[in-house]
Amino acid sequence: MCGGFTCSKNTLVGLNVIYILVSFLMIGVAVHGKVSGIVTSLPIVGGITACGVFLLMISVIGLIGAVRHHQVLLFFYMVVLFLIFLIQFSCSCAALAINENDEKMLIKKAWNTAESKSPSLVIQAEQTFDCCGLGIDEETNAVYTKPSEHDQNFTNTNHVFKDYPDAQCYHLEGAEPKDDCLTCYSHISDKVNSGFNAAGGLGLFFSFTELFGVICTHKYRLYIRDMGEFA
């Protein structure tokens, strides 16, 4: 019957095979993003690849432990999977609970960091969304939709729209931008909000699969121990 030795073993094997496929998918997406130029940031590609490799390693350990009935590997797998569950569950709840003001502060901090340390990310964002500047006041944190002088200077200095003369935010240095040219916050705020919700929901779903894996591993170890005592 399900819940017995064979069912627990098959469930663990199936779960780890799925995790292995997901890890290959993560690594493949990271490599494809870098090769095709969709993602130009090396830390982002490296982070996704590292997560994929870590998931692959843990999945292989769980798979070997389940097939070979190895108590030590299963215990290590169970502990690591439970820690991953705690971290992922906490992060998913935080992503779902974040409010609009917190999102605004995160976007502002990330934008300012990218502008000073990795301007290419800001340039890519402005080209993608056809916008100029972030649109959050540095002192009051108030949202504005028309690009400020600082926003225009950054765009002109870095020649953001040099190769995009038909863009809404294309304008010559010293000239006023078009009326349809807006700041980037008005374009990305909804996308960031939906991104947090999607990431939180997906992370919450997968965290429960990890908890399910921990429970199955614990039961499977008990079955192995009992079989050893009766042998």
Side-chain angles (χ1 to χ4, degrees):
M1 68 176 185
C2 196
F5 176 82
T6 304
C7 183
S8 297
K9 177 181 178 179
N10 292 338
T11 302
L12 271 179
V13 170
L15 194 63
N16 283 290
V17 167
I18 292 173
Y19 285 156
I20 289 173
L21 293 176
V22 171
S23 67
F24 280 130
L25 182 64
M26 291 174 66
I27 296 171
V29 167
V31 172
H32 172 71
K34 181 60 181 175
V35 171
S36 62
I38 297 173
V39 182
T40 57
S41 175
L42 213 58
I44 294 177
V45 175
I48 297 174
T49 306
C51 289
V53 171
F54 178 74
L55 180 61
L56 178 63
M57 181 185 69
I58 296 301
S59 304
V60 170
I61 290 174
L63 189 62
I64 294 173
V67 172
R68 298 178 63 88
H69 309 162
H70 200 292
Q71 285 276 27
V72 177
L73 286 180
L74 288 172
F75 178 76
F76 176 76
Y77 171 75
M78 184 175 66
V79 171
V80 173
L81 202 62
F82 183 70
L83 292 176
I84 294 174
F85 161 74
L86 291 178
I87 296 171
Q88 191 166 335
F89 181 79
S90 302
C91 292
S92 299
C93 290
L96 291 172
I98 195 168
N99 57 41
E100 186 177 350
N101 187 60
D102 291 334
E103 285 180 9
K104 184 168 66 174
M105 292 299 100
L106 283 173
I107 295 171
K108 178 184 174 183
K109 184 177 180 180
W111 187 278
N112 290 339
T113 302
E115 195 173 76
S116 59
K117 296 184 178 180
S118 184
S120 61
L121 291 177
V122 176
I123 294 171
Q124 187 178 17
E126 291 188 350
Q127 290 174 345
T128 301
F129 296 105
D130 193 0
C131 56
C132 179
L134 176 58
I136 300 178
D137 189 86
E138 287 294 329
E139 297 180 359
T140 64
N141 293 324
V143 177
Y144 59 90
T145 57
K146 294 298 180 181
S148 65
E149 185 177 348
H150 170 76
D151 299 332
Q152 296 176 43
N153 288 337
F154 177 87
T155 302
N156 288 326
T157 302
N158 291 277
H159 309 290
V160 176
F161 297 105
K162 180 181 179 181
D163 299 326
Y164 304 92
D166 295 330
Q168 295 293 342
C169 288
Y170 173 82
H171 62 281
L172 299 175
E173 189 171 354
E176 288 294 322
K178 302 174 185 176
D179 293 335
D180 293 333
C181 179
L182 302 176
T183 55
C184 294
Y185 184 78
S186 56
H187 290 278
I188 66 177
S189 57
D190 291 337
K191 293 179 175 59
V192 170
N193 183 54
S194 62
F196 271 115
N197 292 334
L202 197 62
L204 204 61
F205 170 76
F206 274 103
S207 67
F208 283 114
T209 67
E210 290 155 4
L211 181 62
F212 177 70
V214 171
I215 295 172
C216 282
T217 306
H218 176 66
K219 290 182 65 177
Y220 187 52
R221 291 185 73 245
L222 292 178
Y223 286 129
I224 296 173
R225 185 196 64 184
D226 294 339
M227 289 175 63
E229 290 177 355
F230 286 119

